[in-house]
Structure formats: structure tokens, C-alpha cells
Amino acid sequence: GPAMLGSADDPIALVANGALTLAGDVAVHGIVHAASLDWRGGTAGVAFVRGALVIAGDAHGDTAADIVRDAAILDRLANASGSFVRVNGSWKDF
């Protein structure tokens, strides 16, 4: 950082296939999903995730980031990207 990813009007979905490393004042509007998180050097009030943060494993770091669940941002993100539906023949329920 410093970096601003997304906005309240145009949130993002950040998906890391593995470990996610953030450094400094990173501000994210939207949803972040990763296998693990290492976030260092963030300042309270400046470094944040507003929306949702989903980590499948460990979260480490020394940042003072604010993590705020924001239903309005998540709704905006869900409606902007459309619906997810099953494709015929792609689903098996064993």
C-alpha cells in the first residue's frame, strides 16, 4: 500500500488461490477470499476491508486494519455480478 481496491459504489471480489500477502495501508471495498492472509504495516482507520473477509486458514500480521461486514456492499456486489445457477449436467449429488 497505499492502495484502494474497489469503492462503495463499485465493490470488488478479490479471490486468491493460495496465500494473500498485503503490506501497508490497503483499503478494500468488497469481498476478499484467500487460503491464508499475512497483512503487515497497516494503519487503523486507513487499512480496512469493508464488506467481508473470508480466510480458509491462518491470518497473521501486525496491521491494525479494520474489518467491517457491510451488507449493503455485499448486496451491491451480488447484484452487479448476476446470479449463479447450475448448468444442466454439471451437478452431481453423490
Side-chain angles (χ1 to χ4, degrees):
M4 175 77 70
L5 304 174
S7 68
D9 293 327
D10 192 18
I12 67 162
L14 175 62
V15 179
N17 187 17
L20 176 64
T21 301
L22 300 173
D25 294 330
V26 179
V28 180
H29 288 91
I31 186 167
V32 177
H33 182 278
S36 64
L37 174 67
D38 185 17
W39 195 347
R40 301 192 182 276
T43 307
V46 181
F48 63 83
V49 174
R50 184 169 208 82
L53 177 65
V54 181
I55 304 299
D58 296 330
H60 299 283
D62 63 359
T63 192
D66 298 323
I67 311 299
V68 179
R69 183 188 179 278
D70 190 321
I73 286 179
L74 296 175
D75 286 341
R76 191 168 297 117
L77 186 61
N79 292 328
S81 62
S83 298
F84 295 98
V85 296
R86 282 186 283 153
V87 175
N88 285 337
S90 67
W91 181 265
K92 290 188 177 188
D93 193 5
F94 296 98

